[in-house]
Amino acid sequence: MRKMNRRTVMAGAVAAGAAGVMARAAEPETPGIAFAFEAYVTIGAAETPGPTPFGGRNRIPITGGHFEGPAIKGKVLPGGADWQLVRSDGAVTLEADYMIQADDGTLIHVHNHAVVSGKPGTPDYYLRCAPVFEAPIGKHDWLNKALFVGTVTVEPKGDAVRVRVYKVT
């Protein structure tokens, strides 16, 4: 076994310290967000199957709508649904599954997961979503290549929601 002298130990420590500084310098910056589009999604009356072993279940039909952003616009197709689960802690998880169609005819599948807690108008109210897109390879496949987050606002009449979608940069 090789005996290490003080110079070897010091050189190793300096190299390790430099590597640590380099590693810290290479850490990614805090992610940002960039507006992708806003969707106005019309919804039907809630269907409530009732309590399940997992919580209270609701199904909200998606009946249509439209969306628009800097790089895409089109319509929300009817036929999807928002499946809601009212948890024992009072929070609600949402799983919306539907299709949108860009103005050029491209069909894009949307699966949007959301969490709601608190009461609207109070400081503890929280409603955020994380949509995932499945677009065909081509003009709109940028939707497949990024993470997205969003906000959801229920329209006053309760017959639609506005979903603002942001690309995580």
Side-chain angles (χ1 to χ4, degrees):
M1 196 160 169
R2 190 175 136 204
K3 185 175 179 183
M4 297 180 111
N5 63 30
R6 185 172 181 183
R7 177 180 276 175
T8 303
V9 172
M10 288 301 290
V14 169
V21 169
M22 294 298 288
R24 283 191 296 280
E27 289 179 16
E29 61 187 55
T30 301
I33 58 172
F35 176 72
F37 65 85
E38 180 178 83
Y40 180 84
V41 181
T42 57
I43 55 176
E47 300 165 348
T48 306
T52 74
F54 305 104
R57 179 66 72 183
N58 299 308
R59 180 185 176 278
I60 311 293
I62 294 173
T63 60
H66 55 86
F67 65 95
E68 185 169 354
I72 192 169
K73 71 177 186 173
K75 60 185 175 181
V76 177
L77 300 177
D82 182 357
W83 292 89
Q84 302 177 352
L85 183 65
V86 181
R87 302 182 333 203
S88 62
D89 64 358
V92 180
T93 57
L94 310 142
E95 298 289 338
D97 194 52
Y98 58 101
M99 298 287 283
I100 58 176
Q101 184 174 30
D103 277 355
D104 64 4
T106 303
L107 293 174
I108 301 164
H109 175 236
V110 181
H111 183 89
N112 198 356
H113 177 79
V115 175
V116 185
S117 64
K119 296 194 185 301
T122 64
D124 66 337
Y125 183 65
Y126 184 87
L127 175 49
R128 296 290 184 264
C129 65
V132 175
F133 302 97
E134 184 181 355
I137 295 170
K139 180 179 179 181
H140 304 296
D141 70 354
W142 59 273
L143 293 164
N144 302 324
K145 299 175 181 176
L147 296 175
F148 295 85
V149 295
T151 61
V152 181
T153 306
V154 179
E155 291 293 295
K157 291 182 182 178
D159 59 350
V161 294
R162 288 193 185 272
V163 181
R164 290 186 59 86
V165 176
Y166 300 88
K167 179 181 174 183
V168 177
T169 58

